[in-house]
């Protein structure tokens, strides 16, 4: 059997890991400017952001798109 690697850059990455990496890279201030949602601007935390993003598909899509766009910067840090 061949080992097939998924071409989806989000494969195997949890939403929590995505949010944590984005917050570490950008900080909540910049993240709130890039994606206009209150969970990043008003008393932000990873926990409150996860709660909101799990319920709000359009916001989660924006976060995932930003993560994919930023992914090469994360890989350069390693």
């Amino acid at each position: 059997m061949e080992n097939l690697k998924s071409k989806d850059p989000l494969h195997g990455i949890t939403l929590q890991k995505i949010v944590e990496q984005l917050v570490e890279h950008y900080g909540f201030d910049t993240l709130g400017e890039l994606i206009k949602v209150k969970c990043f601007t008003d008393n932000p935390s990873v926990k409150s952001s996860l709660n909101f993003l799990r319920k709000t598909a359009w916001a989660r899509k924006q976060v995932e798109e930003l993560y994919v766009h930023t992914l090469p910067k994360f890989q350069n840090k390693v």
Side-chain angles (χ1 to χ4, degrees), residues 6-47:
S6 175
K7 294 183 186 211
D8 180 4
L10 298 174
H11 180 78
I13 308 280
T14 63
L15 182 58
Q16 181 173 350
K17 185 70 172 174
I18 290 170
V19 171
E20 288 172 347
Q21 282 190 300
L22 289 173
V23 169
E24 182 180 321
H25 184 75
Y26 290 110
F28 277 113
D29 291 338
T30 303
L31 205 50
E33 291 173 14
L34 295 171
I35 302 173
K36 306 282 191 223
V37 291
K38 283 187 178 184
C39 68
F40 294 147
T41 59
D42 295 345
N43 198 19
S45 71
V46 171
K47 184 178 178 181

Side-chain angles (χ1 to χ4, degrees), residues 38-72:
K38 283 187 178 184
C39 68
F40 294 147
T41 59
D42 295 345
N43 198 19
S45 71
V46 171
K47 184 178 178 181
S48 67
S49 299
L50 290 172
N51 286 335
F52 176 76
L53 294 171
R54 286 181 178 133
K55 296 176 187 175
T56 315
W58 63 265
R60 181 178 181 148
K61 185 173 191 267
Q62 288 184 4
V63 167
E64 290 173 345
E65 287 172 354
L66 178 62
Y67 177 81
V68 169
H69 178 74
T70 310
L71 197 55

